[in-house]
Amino acid sequence: MPVPHRMPPNASAPAGRVRRRAVLVGGALAAACGVATARQAPLLLRFSHVVAPDTPKGQMALRLQALLHERSGGRIRVEIYPDSQLWGDDDEMEALRLGAVEMLAPSLSKFGMAGVPEFEVFDLPFLFRDLAQVRRVTQGRVGRELLERLGRQQMVGLGFLDNGFKQMSAHRPLRRPADFAGLRVRVQASQVLGAQMRALGARPVVLPFGETQRALATGVVDAAENPLSNYLTQQLAPLQPHVTLTQHGYLGYAVVTHPRWWKHLGRADRALVRQALDEALQHGNRLAAGLDQAALATLRTQPGVQVHMLGTTDRDALRQAVQPVVEQFRRSVGPGLLDAVHGVIGDAA
């Protein structure tokens, strides 16, 4: 049974910028002073993420918490801060670099803007047909090499986690490129995602995940792309009653920590954390497909929500409209990575 995660004293309200910066400075000073005696002491692992506890990422974090509590006899304590309670999209990586948090699971889109553009391959539209293809990439040689490249930006990549495929939500069906014309669409900070929306005639608006609901409610944006589990947990149905099953892109995460904290761990603790995390990731990945199907079933019976399927002609038209984005990525990163991915998933480049 998962051990309840501890909340910060003021978890009911967003932390202020002043408080956050104070924590960042404190974490940096603590790291600079050294942690040589901590190997035999109780170990704290703060895990911050931006989604709800009942998503694949939230459940993965809870499983990690429970496994480490059980296998360390309570010595390793995992504190989980979901829903951007501690850090949001805009500052979680800075918090990791400065030692104010030990573990994150940012979306793969964020790593491109953080200096590892190869991760933008996961943002390419219509690249993967299903999660089986994704996992052939993330669980194989290509995935391992991508995680190793995070070391260039002072991160240790520990594994991949699925969420699911993104669908479109708006005030109207979005079946064809013409339906996107002029819409302001919330996207993550990704050059590929921005270019994709512009190719469809829409205007990309980069916003942190935690601000999406308010932006839709106030008209800052007109549409959004999300896996169905996020659509439900963020309660977007009253704001975006039309859901079009475009399945145009994949949304996943990479679990990362800082090299300083990872090296600080003793060999036994490092092995314990890695084994527990591997099992937690397997748990989260098993949940991802099931939650997606359950979310779709819920949406089909939810009053006021209309679910739209894409026909072959419409899907081909969308794919053709965004093809220039794929070629742009191939030129900017080099053909080798994209060719390697196509080779793994069995599709022709």
Side-chain angles (χ1 to χ4, degrees), residues 8-25 84-88 90-92 94-95 100:
N10 63 341
S12 61
R17 289 289 179 178
V18 174
R19 174 180 169 273
R20 290 186 176 187
R21 297 307 169 205
V23 174
L24 284 172
V25 172
S84 303
Q85 289 172 349
L86 192 59
W87 310 106
D90 56 344
D91 52 14
E92 62 177 356
E94 182 182 2

Side-chain angles (χ1 to χ4, degrees), residues 60 158-161 255 276-286:
M60 180 276 292
L158 298 174
F160 290 96
L161 174 68
V255 177
L277 179 61
D278 286 346
E279 293 182 30
L281 288 172
Q282 291 174 18
H283 174 68
N285 284 334
R286 284 194 298 269

Side-chain angles (χ1 to χ4, degrees), residues 308-344:
H308 308 278
M309 302 290 291
L310 281 188
T312 301
T313 300
D314 291 337
R315 181 174 297 278
D316 288 345
L318 290 175
R319 187 194 301 270
Q320 186 63 33
V322 297
Q323 185 60 32
V325 179
V326 178
E327 297 308 318
Q328 178 183 339
F329 173 87
R330 185 188 297 272
R331 291 192 300 271
S332 64
V333 177
L337 175 58
L338 190 53
D339 290 346
V341 170
H342 279 295
V344 170

Side-chain angles (χ1 to χ4, degrees), residues 48-52 57 81-84 87-89 92 209-210 234:
S48 175
H49 65 83
V50 303
V51 296
K57 181 159 48 174
Y81 301 94
D83 279 325
S84 303
W87 310 106
D89 279 344
E92 62 177 356
F209 179 73
Q234 294 299 305

Side-chain angles (χ1 to χ4, degrees), residues 204-217:
V205 179
V206 176
L207 287 173
F209 179 73
E211 296 180 17
T212 303
Q213 185 187 57
R214 182 171 59 181
L216 290 168

Side-chain angles (χ1 to χ4, degrees), residues 88-297:
D89 279 344
D90 56 344
D91 52 14
E92 62 177 356
M93 287 195 176
E94 182 182 2
L96 181 71
R97 292 187 186 102
L98 294 181
V101 65
E102 285 72 46
M103 193 170 286
L104 303 171
S107 67
L108 299 175
S109 300
K110 294 189 69 173
F111 294 107
M113 300 300 288
V116 192
E118 294 90 341
F119 271 76
E120 291 179 341
V121 70
F122 293 106
D123 287 335
L124 290 176
F126 299 103
L127 177 60
F128 301 106
R129 285 196 306 270
D130 50 39
L131 287 178
Q133 284 193 338
V134 174
R135 290 170 183 171
R136 288 207 290 273
V137 174
T138 57
Q139 307 303 318
R141 178 183 58 83
V142 173
R144 290 191 298 271
E145 291 178 353
L146 285 171
L147 290 177
E148 290 172 0
R149 294 182 189 189
L150 293 174
R152 303 194 310 236
Q153 297 299 325
Q154 289 298 294
M155 288 179 279
V156 177
L158 298 174
F160 290 96
L161 174 68
D162 296 326
N163 187 334
F165 283 89
K166 294 182 289 186
Q167 322 294 349
M168 295 300 308
S169 64
H171 288 288
R172 63 180 187 237
L174 300 178
R175 295 190 180 96
R176 307 171 187 88
D179 297 330
F180 287 80
L183 288 183
R184 293 163 297 184
V185 182
R186 182 267 167 179
V187 296
Q188 295 177 285
S190 160
Q191 295 185 50
V192 170
L193 296 181
Q196 173 182 310
M197 290 304 162
R198 286 189 290 272
L200 290 169
R203 294 167 53 192
V205 179
V206 176
L207 287 173
F209 179 73
E211 296 180 17
T212 303
Q213 185 187 57
R214 182 171 59 181
L216 290 168
T218 58
V220 172
V221 294
D222 307 305
E225 54 172 11
N226 280 295
L228 297 180
S229 60
N230 285 2
Y231 177 86
L232 281 179
T233 58
Q234 294 299 305
Q235 300 178 353
L236 299 184
L239 307 171
Q240 302 268 275
H242 289 272
V243 177
T244 308
L245 301 181
T246 53
Q247 195 148 327
H248 60 280
Y250 166 75
L251 177 62
Y253 312 102
V255 177
V256 295
T257 187
H258 195 282
R260 180 175 56 240
W261 185 81
W262 191 242
K263 291 177 182 177
H264 143 64
L265 295 179
R267 181 177 301 178
D269 278 350
R270 194 181 301 129
L272 181 59
V273 171
R274 182 173 283 282
Q275 181 182 24
L277 179 61
D278 286 346
E279 293 182 30
L281 288 172
Q282 291 174 18
H283 174 68
N285 284 334
R286 284 194 298 269
L287 287 176
L291 285 176
D292 196 57
Q293 292 301 313
L296 178 57

